[in-house]
Every structure is written in C-alpha cells, then in structure tokens.
C-alpha cells in the first residue's frame, strides 16, 4: 500500500541577522557543555518541541556497535527476520504500524527497556547472536537514558522547578515504562514513479511519552511540522541526537511545551536506520500540569495515569490528536 503526501515540502531556512547562533540554522542546536544550555533547551521546547544536541555523554563505540548489529539483522532475509516477530507489541514488524491500519515503508524492532522482550527469538536467525544484540541495546539505552535524564534536569532548572529531578525521576524509576525502537527504511526505487509526491516511511504523529531521543544514519527523511503548518525537512546528522517533546511533557507543562508532530519520508536510493529511545513514566504515574508552572492559570488537561493514556493512544491512528480526549472543555 503506497501512501502519498501533498507537494510543498520546505527545508529549514537560514535565518538572517540571528542573535542566537544556536537557532540560526532552523533546527535548535544545543551544546550540553555550555552554561546557558538549560535556557536554550526551554526556548527550543517552547518554539519547536524539537532540538538536537552536541557534546553529549553517549560513547561513540556504543552507537557504532548497535548500528552494526542492527544492520546485520535488517540485512537478513525477510523469512529469517519474521522469526523475531510478530510485534505484539514487542518484536519485529514490517510495514504495519500499530493495530489500526497504519502502514509505512518501514521495518522495525520494538523492545522494552525492562527486558520484557525475549532476545532468544533472534537465536534462529542465521548470523545473528541474541546475546550480542542484547548487550549492544543495553549499553546504548543506558547511555541515552542517562543523557535524557540530564536534559530533563536542565529543563527543570530552566523552568525554575524544584526538585530538579521532577521529570527525570520518572525515567529512572525501576517501573518506568520506556521503550526502544530500531527503524529501518530500505531504499524505495518506486518513488521515482511519482512526481511532486513523497512516499511515507512512517506517518505523521506525536510521541505519547515524556521525551524521545533519536539518532539516525546520514540519510534524510525526517520532517517536523512547524506552528505555521509547514512540513520542514530536518538535515540528517549522524553525530548528534535529536530530542522530541512528548505528549506527557506537554501536559506536565500545561501546554507551554508542544509535542512535535513529525514523520519520515522514504528515500529512493539510500536506506535509513534510526534508533529511538522513548522515555516513559511508570504505568501508575498520574500525569497532570505541575502546580509550580500554573501561576494561577487553569489546567488545560484532566489528570490521567500513563496507563490510561497509553491504552487510549493504542486505539488511535497515528495522525490522531491523542490529547484531545483529555483536554478540559473550558480550555477551548
């Protein structure tokens, strides 16, 4: 099934006479080693819900090792890869995204960060060692989780919230419902048949968790939706991490931060590999605007648990506005 988008895709413009070099290229660039990074992260979350970071703490060898293992797996014949599926929700999936009819030019592995996935599903795949994959995923996820927590603590500081671990403690909790996803978009020569259109690799959506941390290879495809309704192509950068605000963080900041709507387009000649850590709270955690950020304002959202929101989101299509069911009527 081929899904086409409407023409009219822009690339990030270069902003002239920009006072902040971190925002001049269009994609907010945050140097985590700089003292003003916490304020720039807040600004990026308010204006884009999206930014990329440099001078992070994730070892290069963890990145290259996992990418190597992922390429080895995705290079296997489809009949072999399917032994690690179906994704229910964890495991290998191909084309079908979720249970409600969404499809894309993508194959993927979805894993729980709490070791709920049976890596021995990989054991019967020729040339793939399940323990090597497990170790590579664990090393990578541990390092990225640490970076995500550092970013969330910078956010808290930038918002003058105490304690500074108000967000990060939800990811650090041993019952944290975080997941990890490896997406592979094979080359798609069929794109050449369509003029002024783009083949959807992964349809437009927001991430329901608190924060998402993405790393991809040097292949374009990622796009985000700006406030003016324009889809903007994000230049690939394999040396940095991209960070998304999720729905839960939007609620906790009472709408001050916006969960960024994004999608991936397929590429006609190059494969794209992305690795995404989705930092989620424990299932029983109550999600609501933080009192310290309200300043006398009305709450825009009803309180809900992460389990309730996750269950609701699972029933929707990718492009649906999942938060609308939890908005207060008075917030029109």
């Amino acid at each position: 099934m081929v899904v086409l988008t409407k023409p009219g895709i822009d690339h990030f413009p270069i902003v002239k006479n920009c006072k902040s070099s971190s925002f001049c290229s269009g994609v907010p660039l945050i140097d985590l080693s700089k003292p003003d990074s916490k304020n720039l992260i807040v600004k990026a979350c308010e204006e884009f819900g999206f930014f990329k970071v440099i001078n992070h703490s994730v070892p290069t060898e963890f990145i290259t090792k996992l990418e190597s293992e992922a390429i080895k797996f995705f290079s296997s014949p489809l009949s072999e890869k399917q032994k690690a599926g179906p994704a229910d929700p964890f495991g290998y999936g191909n084309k079908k995204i979720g249970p409600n009819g969404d499809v894309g030019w993508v194959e993927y592995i979805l894993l729980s960060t709490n070791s709920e996935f049976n890596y021995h599903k990989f054991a019967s795949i020729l040339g793939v060692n399940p323990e090597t994959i497990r170790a590579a995923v664990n090393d990578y996820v541990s390092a990225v989780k640490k970076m995500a927590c550092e970013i969330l603590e910078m956010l808290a500081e930038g918002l003058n919230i105490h304690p500074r671990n108000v967000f990060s403690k939800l990811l650090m909790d041993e019952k944290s419902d975080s997941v990890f996803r490896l997406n592979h978009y094979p080359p798609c020569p069929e794109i050449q048949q369509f003029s002024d259109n783009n083949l959807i690799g992964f349809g437009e959506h927001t991430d329901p968790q608190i924060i998402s941390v993405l790393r991809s290879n040097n292949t374009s495809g990622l796009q985000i939706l700006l406030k003016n309704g324009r889809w903007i192509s994000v230049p690939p950068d394999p040396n940095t991490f991209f960070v998304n605000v999720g729905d839960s963080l939007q609620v906790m900041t009472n709408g001050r931060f916006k969960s960024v709507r994004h999608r991936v387009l397929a590429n006609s000649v190059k494969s794209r590999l992305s690795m995404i850590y989705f930092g989620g709270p424990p299932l029983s955690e109550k999600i609501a605007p933080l009192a310290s950020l309200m300043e006398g304002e009305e709450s825009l959202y009803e309180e809900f648990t992460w389990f309730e929101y996750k269950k609701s989101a699972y029933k929707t299509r990718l492009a649906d506005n999942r938060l609308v069911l939890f908005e207060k009527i008075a917030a029109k």
Side-chain angles (χ1 to χ4, degrees):
M1 181 176 178
V2 174
V3 183
L4 300 175
T5 67
K6 296 179 180 179
I9 305 301
D10 292 338
H11 284 273
F12 272 110
I14 300 299
V15 181
K16 296 181 179 180
N17 302 319
C18 181
K19 295 181 180 179
S20 172
S21 60
S22 298
F23 287 76
C24 287
S25 64
V27 181
L29 174 63
I30 311 295
D31 184 338
L32 295 180
S33 68
K34 296 294 181 64
D36 65 340
S37 58
K38 62 184 180 183
N39 297 319
L40 291 175
I41 291 175
V42 170
K43 182 180 178 183
C45 290
E46 291 175 338
E47 296 184 8
F48 290 87
F50 178 87
F51 55 94
K52 68 177 181 177
V53 298
I54 58 174
N55 285 328
H56 52 76
S57 58
V58 181
T60 302
E61 57 266 30
F62 289 179
I63 299 171
T64 55
K65 178 63 175 177
L66 180 55
E67 185 175 82
S68 174
E69 290 301 316
I71 290 172
K72 186 185 301 182
F73 172 81
F74 287 121
S75 297
S76 302
L78 178 60
S79 59
E80 293 289 299
K81 289 181 287 192
Q82 287 176 329
K83 295 175 182 177
D88 57 353
F90 304 121
Y92 173 77
N94 189 307
K95 303 287 177 66
K96 295 181 180 180
I97 304 170
N100 301 309
D102 289 297
V103 295
W105 188 258
V106 63
E107 58 178 344
Y108 63 90
I109 306 170
L110 185 64
L111 304 168
S112 168
T113 62
N114 294 331
S115 301
E116 293 179 23
F117 179 71
N118 179 9
Y119 281 84
H120 288 289
K121 287 184 176 182
F122 290 104
S124 59
I125 300 172
L126 188 64
V128 175
N129 185 323
E131 291 307 316
T132 303
I133 292 181
R134 181 200 296 272
V137 169
N138 287 347
D139 286 344
Y140 179 87
V141 168
S142 294
V144 170
K145 175 182 175 180
K146 179 182 176 182
M147 178 181 64
C149 290
E150 291 171 355
I151 290 171
L152 288 173
E153 289 177 4
M154 289 181 184
L155 268 178
E157 288 183 356
L159 292 170
N160 295 314
I161 299 174
H162 303 284
R164 70 192 297 267
N165 71 340
V166 66
F167 301 125
S168 64
K169 68 180 181 181
L170 302 178
L171 273 58
M172 296 301 295
D173 193 299
E174 62 179 13
K175 295 183 179 179
S176 167
D177 184 43
S178 298
V179 296
F180 178 66
R181 187 178 185 113
L182 289 159
N183 284 335
H184 177 239
Y185 304 89
C188 182
E190 298 174 34
I191 298 176
Q192 304 296 346
Q193 301 173 18
F194 308 107
S195 114
D196 296 323
N197 286 289
N198 301 283
L199 180 68
I200 289 294
F202 206 108
E204 65 173 279
H205 63 286
T206 59
D207 296 336
Q209 291 88 354
I210 295 171
I211 191 173
S212 306
V213 182
L214 176 145
R215 187 266 174 191
S216 64
N217 63 357
N218 199 25
T219 303
S220 62
L222 177 64
Q223 297 185 332
I224 66 170
L225 186 65
L226 297 185
K227 292 179 180 179
N228 64 8
R230 299 291 294 184
W231 281 103
I232 302 297
S233 293
V234 178
D237 187 346
N239 301 313
T240 65
F241 285 91
F242 292 98
V243 180
N244 294 356
V245 170
D247 294 344
S248 296
L249 188 55
Q250 176 173 322
V251 172
M252 295 176 78
T253 60
N254 203 36
R256 180 170 173 177
F257 296 168
K258 298 296 184 184
S259 180
V260 64
R261 188 165 285 268
H262 54 288
R263 68 184 182 189
V264 175
L265 302 184
N267 192 290
S268 60
V269 294
K270 295 175 64 179
S271 65
R272 183 174 188 271
L273 179 71
S274 61
M275 308 185 288
I276 314 104
Y277 167 76
F278 300 96
L283 290 172
S284 60
E285 183 69 27
K286 293 181 179 179
I287 307 297
L290 298 178
S292 56
L293 293 178
M294 298 299 287
E295 298 180 356
E297 297 178 1
E298 290 292 322
S299 171
L300 301 181
Y301 304 96
E302 302 284 356
E303 182 180 87
F304 53 85
T305 65
W306 169 239
F307 174 78
E308 290 171 333
Y309 190 56
K310 184 178 180 180
K311 183 178 179 181
S312 173
Y314 194 68
K315 297 177 181 178
T316 65
R317 299 289 301 271
L318 277 177
D320 290 346
N321 180 356
R322 303 183 181 105
L323 278 176
V324 70
L325 296 176
F326 300 89
E327 294 175 352
K328 289 190 174 182
I329 298 176
K332 287 182 181 179

